[in-house]
Amino acid sequence: MMDLRPLIVAGLLGVAAQVWAAPAPEDPFFLPPDAKAYILKATGSAPTTQTKLQDLLQALFQKRSEGGLGLVYDNTRTRTVGEVWTEGKANCLSMTAFFVSACRAIGIHEEYAEALNTNHWRKAGGIVRFERHVVALTPAPPRNDLIADFVPELRKRYGTYKVVVLPESRFRALFYSNRAVERLTEGDMEGAREQAQLSLDADPKSSVGWNILGVVLASGADLPKAEEAYRRAMELDHRDGAPIGNMEALLRNTGRAEEAQRYRVLGETVRKKDPYFHAYLAEEALVEGDLGEAQTRIRSALKILPKDPDFLLLAARVRLATGDLDGAIRSLEDARKYADPAEQERYNSKIEGIQGMKGGKVER
């Protein structure tokens, strides 16, 4: 689960050395005393930073039955450092927070960092999330810095990382932003707004925090303040496509079509790597009968996320509209293959329907 091999970091952006104060018990990054005692015991005999790190990793990921903490990856929610300790589960953000806290507890200089070229889009319920991949960095001059990566398969997919150091304020903002989205997905509007505000309290210049606050406000029908939040997000990061898309939707839904179109044009230049933007445009073109545009857009979406069942279903609809029945069936079969088991039956029925149009039989 863990890769701590030395890595030559391309384009590493440093920050000034920081002096860290131990978080207070109510802080989500507070390391419980029993966790600190466990970590000190596991690493106490190691003579160097490198060996301390290796002993720490072994202790964290070794099975509990063998005396380790038995940490496992779990992306269902973003846990505090204390919850990681008690539950033994964490996503990459929580695991990075725990690891950095553990390193600092034993006197190792550790930084939060972000692997820029691994960011990706994911849909959770009705919310599309742009997920950043965070890692922990141990400065080791004059040798190569050490990167602790808790989702090493991403390195296999993207190759060498371009890593930037994150100030603690920005990392904390991402932590609370994550939790705000989780609350929003659960329908907890009050909790979502609280976490979004905590994100901005940690880093008022976080475009991510302002965008998520805008989504929360829009969901609560406070559209004027949502618009203000989206505009603030765009001012802070003109390359972030999320607030651009959200602003376009808000304006279009309130009848301000001309203004919305300006953000559509802006989105075309900024959101080229957003598969859900292309899928949205494919759906729009299909409804309007522009099948050539629909085909182009859904191909762009699938180029980025080739195994997304919803995209494959949309591809099938586009192909069906063009009269390509065999192509529609192939897209549905792919969608069925990658769909959750509970969803597979609905693809079977759609395939049967098209096979019926052809007068053939379904192959299972």
Side-chain angles (χ1 to χ4, degrees), residues 210-233:
W210 281 107
N211 177 61
I212 291 173
L213 179 61
V215 173
V216 173
L217 292 168
S219 299
D222 192 346
L223 301 185
K225 288 187 177 179
E227 184 174 337
E228 289 178 14
Y230 293 146
R231 292 190 187 281
R232 181 64 174 145

Side-chain angles (χ1 to χ4, degrees), residues 284-298:
E284 185 179 73
L286 179 60
V287 171
E288 294 175 353
D290 188 347
L291 300 184
E293 176 69 4
Q295 288 176 312
T296 298
R297 291 297 184 176
I298 195 58

Side-chain angles (χ1 to χ4, degrees), residues 3 22 28 55 66 69 81 119 161 219 221 249 255 257 278 334 352 358:
D3 187 355
D55 286 353
E66 299 174 358
L69 182 56
V81 167
N119 297 336
Y161 288 172
S219 299
H278 292 295
D334 285 340
E352 289 171 355
K358 294 182 60 180

Side-chain angles (χ1 to χ4, degrees), residues 6 18 40 45 69 77 118 127 154 157 182 184 190-191 210 217 220 224 283 288 300 313 323 339 353 356:
Q18 302 179 53
L40 287 170
S45 61
L69 182 56
R77 65 188 179 91
T118 63
I127 298 174
L154 286 179
R157 185 188 310 169
E182 290 163 2
L184 190 62
E190 184 177 346
W210 281 107
L217 292 168
E283 178 78 43
E288 294 175 353
S300 295
L313 175 58

